[in-house]
């Protein structure tokens, strides 16, 4: 996973916990960001490596580039929150990770969350009044947090991009790259 030195290079944070990350929800958007000439940075509460999964089976590991304590939303142009059940469940209990997500949402920069990742958005109290999607089991959590849950492949609401599952990765990645290339505000409010 190489980095580009293009003058229009954006730096995208991928925030994950130590384990439980759905591998394709990290690696596919990561590779798309890199292939588009941008820099991807893996951020986690602790240094070392993180354990990805293919559903419930252990998959690859990946080295953490920066810890949550060493970064701020100002360091990046966008944030990606991969899913997996255990990953966002752990992130939502880490106050610094939740604060980083809240800062990203307040900044107006693109925040892209897939599958179970909106749990962290719920914990950060940033879904109120927003239209979003997720893995179906999060519907009640999102509605209880004041969000409007819809069953669609990809939903863009201002700077927030959400998708339901790995099958939705093409739509998720397209919306993410559009927001990175043209700015989160340019993506408007659309559904796919």
């Amino acid at each position: 996973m190489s980095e580009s030195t293009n003058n229009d290079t954006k730096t995208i944070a991928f925030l994950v916990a130590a384990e439980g990350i759905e591998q394709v929800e990290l690696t596919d958007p990561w590779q798309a960001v890199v292939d588009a000439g941008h820099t991807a940075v893996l951020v986690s509460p602790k240094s070392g490596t993180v354990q990805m999964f293919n559903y419930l089976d252990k998959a690859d590991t990946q080295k953490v580039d920066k810890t949550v304590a060493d970064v701020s939303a100002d360091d990046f142009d966008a944030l990606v929150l991969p899913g997996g059940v255990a990953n966002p469940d752990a992130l939502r209990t880490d106050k610094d990770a939740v604060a980083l997500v809240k800062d990203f949402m307040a900044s107006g920069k693109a925040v892209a969350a897939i599958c179970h990742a909106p749990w962290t958005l719920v914990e950060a109290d940033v879904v109120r009044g927003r239209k979003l999607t997720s893995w179906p089991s999060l519907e009640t959590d999102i509605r209880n947090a004041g969000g409007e849950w819809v069953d669609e492949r990809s939903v863009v609401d201002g700077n927030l991009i959400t998708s339901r599952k790995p099958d939705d990765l093409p739509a998720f990645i397209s919306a993410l790259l559009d927001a990175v290339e043209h700015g989160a505000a340019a993506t408007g409010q659309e559904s796919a």
Side-chain angles (χ1 to χ4, degrees):
M1 297 184 195
S2 63
E3 297 178 5
S4 170
T5 55
N6 177 347
N7 289 337
D8 293 329
T9 297
K10 309 285 185 179
T11 304
I12 315 306
F14 285 74
L15 178 61
V16 297
E19 65 180 14
I21 305 121
E22 185 67 33
Q23 182 161 310
V24 296
E25 293 175 5
L26 171 59
T27 58
D28 285 13
W30 180 288
Q31 194 60 52
V33 161
V34 171
D35 289 349
H38 304 298
T39 302
V41 178
L42 190 64
V43 178
S44 188
K46 294 181 182 174
S47 60
T49 59
V50 297
Q51 177 68 59
M52 295 180 280
F53 283 75
N54 289 322
Y55 189 56
L56 297 176
D57 298 322
K58 279 189 177 181
D60 299 329
T61 60
Q62 187 166 328
K63 186 179 182 307
V64 172
D65 297 312
K66 304 260 184 190
T67 64
V68 171
D70 296 329
V71 301
S72 77
D74 294 337
D75 299 331
F76 302 98
D77 298 293
L79 173 66
V80 177
L81 297 168
V85 178
N87 173 47
D89 193 47
L91 281 179
R92 68 185 180 159
T93 64
D94 184 287
K95 67 179 178 57
D96 294 330
V98 171
L100 182 63
V101 169
K102 192 172 209 149
D103 289 347
F104 260 103
M105 287 297 295
S107 76
K109 295 175 184 177
V111 174
I114 188 167
C115 201
H116 287 79
W119 262 339
T120 311
L121 299 170
V122 166
E123 189 64 34
D125 194 23
V126 295
V127 302
R128 189 172 318 284
R130 297 287 196 133
K131 180 179 176 182
L132 64 156
T133 194
S134 67
W135 186 256
S137 64
L138 276 66
E139 177 181 355
T140 300
D141 295 334
I142 289 168
R143 289 196 172 154
N144 286 343
E148 177 190 348
W149 187 89
V150 294
D151 186 14
E152 298 175 14
R153 287 180 305 145
S154 179
V155 176
V156 178
D157 184 338
N159 66 321
L160 181 60
I161 301 159
T162 53
S163 285
R164 302 171 300 188
K165 57 189 173 182
D167 289 347
D168 298 333
L169 278 164
F172 179 73
I173 290 168
S174 177
L176 169 64
L177 292 177
D178 188 48
V180 168
E181 296 290 332
H182 305 290
T187 62
Q189 192 168 15
E190 6 174 302
S191 297

